[in-house]
Every structure is written in structure tokens, then in C-alpha cells.
Amino acid sequence: MTCANPASPAHRNDAWRHVGRALAAASAVIALAGCEDKNAYVAPPPPKVDVATPVQRPVTRYVEATGNTAPIKSVDLVARVQGFLQSIDYQDGTFVKQGTQLFTIEPETYKLKVEQAKAAEVGAQATVKQAEADFKRQAELVQRQAVSQSTLDTSTSTRDNAQASLQQAQVNTRLAEVNYGYTNVTAPFDGVVSAHMVSVGELVGVSSPTQLATIVAMDPIWVNFTVNEQDVLRIRAEAARRGLTVNDLKQLPIQVGLQTETGYPHEGKLDYVSPTLNQSTGTLAVRGVVPNDKRVLLPGYFVRVRVPFDQEKAALLVPDTALGSDQGGRYLLVVNGDNVVEQRKVQIGPVDNGLRVIESGLKPDDRVVIAGLLRVIPGQKIDPQVTKIGQPQASAK
């Protein structure tokens, strides 16, 4: 039997192979240990969040309401005398000036009555002249004792009766002229006349005045609206602070806009403020008057109304998107000096040119989170990226 030599090259190669495997295993262990050290948890950097200080600028405060327009003048045109309608002298729905002829009601009969009354007046004047001459003659005869006193008394009575008859004749003439004037129905003021409600040849004014049409004044026009009790208290407090009287408040400007218009293009002034509140609704009735020469506003429109009553010189404003809300109300996320987010309760005001007015709870130098609210929570440290609040395009005034 032949035995292998332990010192042969084959034996030495097997030994080196075992050593290589051991070294490889040790290297793998060392490598794994190194990987475990590199995978240790490292905190992420603070998130980058856009922050900005609030915009500070003058802001006008308004009382806003919804109102409706109403004509300052609206009159039913009626037939005040009886007769057949002779003509309709206007086009339905047209604008007419004061004094424009609109309807004619059978004038001939009333013209004859005027002439008849004038003739009676002339006869009464002749009777007065004769009675006056007789009175003077009888007075002279009484002085000469040619006639008795009773004759003078009779002459005096005749003269007085003649003068009374003349006055009655003059009144009858005037009444006849008035009735004759009623046969021509004219526009009592500048306005738009509705469609006629009677036809030519129809008998009108028989038992009661017959409505012929309606005329509506369009310029200027009233705007009626109501103000709630809270706004009334605010306005009165501001008026007391500025020393304004009720008459001064009536001179406040009023701005009006239609539902389809941008902003408030129509301007006027307050015209009336009710002396009492409506207890059932808790509101105060207010009325404004607005020029309407182009007749854009029609009676009966629903309109948006606002009345400026105060101006704050340095109001603080932020974008509406920066505001959050919870059960406690509205809030802003503010970054303190340590770059930690804080939740700040605020009282909000109206929107002014696209930005929300903050009434309280915010300071001019506060850094407000204006973007990425969902990525931050109160108490979290952030990397603030200071920016400026964009100025939205101003709305139409």
C-alpha cells in the first residue's frame, strides 16, 4: 500500500484553501459589522416651509348687505274726468319728459263748458255793474231825503247778491277750465311710461278714476337694505368716537353692484335711516339714493350694497389659505425665534383686495406659515423660507 506524503504539494494546496475560506468568512463578518454601523437612524433635516410677515396697509371697513332698488317716484295715471278716450299719444315703455302729452279724453264737451261758464261770468259782471250804479243812485237820494232808507237797503242787498253771483260765476269758470285741463293727461315728471291699460274709444272715468298707465322715475333711484343690530352698534360707536351726528351719517357714501357686476361701480349716498329697529328681525331699515342717468338699475333689482364707515391706517392682512380652523375657531401657524411652529388663535375680519384682515392675535413682525400647512404641526422645528405675501389684483371699486 502506498501512503500519501503529507508534505506533498496537493496537501499544501488543500491547507491554503482552508485558510482562504476562513479569511473570507472573517472579512464577511467584518463587512457586515461595518454595514450595521452605517444603517444607524439619522434624524431628517427640518422641512423647508414658506413664511412671511403680514401685509400692513390702510383698510377701509364696510357694512355689507343685500338690498333692492325702488323708484323714487311711481304714479298711476288716471282719468279724472268722464269721457271717451280720444287718443294715446306715446309709445308704450318709452322715456318721456315732464309735461309730455300722453292721453286725450274727449275735450270738446269740456271746452264748451268753459265757454258757457265764461259767458255766465260776463253776465254776472254786467249785473254787478248795474247793481253798483243803482246803489250809488239810491245813496244820493237818501242823502237828499228823496227816498226812504228801506229803498237803499234793498239796493244794497241787490248789489251784494250780484257780487256773490259774480264770484260764483268766476269759480265755475275756473272749475270748467280745470276739468278741461284734465282731458289732456300729461307726464307729471320725467320717467318711463308703462303699457297703456285702456284703448282708444273706451269710456273712462265713469264711476271712479280709471287707471290709464303708470309712470316711473328712473333717475335717481332708491336702494333699500337692512343693517343687523351688531353692525348698528359698531357704526354708532365709531360715530361717537369721531363726533358724527345722525345727519353726518346720512351723508356717508353708498356703493352698489349688481349680481353680475364686478365690484361696486354705482355710487350714491345714504338718504334715510329708520329711527327704530325691527324687533322681529333685529335689523335697521336704511335707504340710499344712487344716480341712474343711464338707467342701468331698474326698480326691483337685488343688489349688493356696502357702506364705508371706518378706515384703519395699519391693518394686518394674510392670505386666506394661511388660515386654519378647529373647534376653537380660526388660527394661524406662526414661527417663533427658535424656528418652532406655534398655533395662534386669531379674530378675522373682511377680505380686502384678496387678503384677509386679521383683527386680533397677530403682530406686524410675526412670521406666518403661508404655504405647506399640512406638512407642519405645532411644536415642530422647521427651516423657514422667508418670502413676501403676493398682492392679489385689486377688485373693482
Side-chain angles (χ1 to χ4, degrees), residues 61 231-244 249 309-311:
R61 299 186 181 275
D231 286 337
V232 172
L233 294 174
R234 289 168 52 201
I235 294 173
R236 289 177 65 88
E238 179 63 20
R241 185 182 69 83
R242 296 166 57 184
L244 301 178
L249 291 177
F309 71 94
D310 184 26
Q311 186 170 23

Side-chain angles (χ1 to χ4, degrees), residues 63-80:
V63 172
E64 298 185 354
T66 299
N68 64 283
T69 56
I72 288 182
K73 300 176 185 177
S74 179
V75 173
D76 292 335
L77 302 172
V78 298
R80 301 182 64 178

Side-chain angles (χ1 to χ4, degrees), residues 194-240:
S194 69
H196 59 275
M197 305 176 68
V198 292
S199 301
V200 173
E202 186 174 343
L203 183 62
V204 297
V206 179
S207 57
S208 61
T210 303
Q211 183 174 351
L212 307 175
T214 300
I215 183 171
V216 179
M218 304 292 288
D219 180 31
I221 195 167
W222 275 333
V223 176
N224 297 305
F225 59 100
T226 58
V227 179
N228 62 53
E229 186 173 353
Q230 184 177 2
D231 286 337
V232 172
L233 294 174
R234 289 168 52 201
I235 294 173
R236 289 177 65 88
E238 179 63 20

Side-chain angles (χ1 to χ4, degrees), residues 279-293:
Q279 291 185 347
S280 61
T281 61
T283 57
L284 185 73
V286 184
R287 186 181 69 201
V289 58
V290 179
N292 191 35
D293 55 337

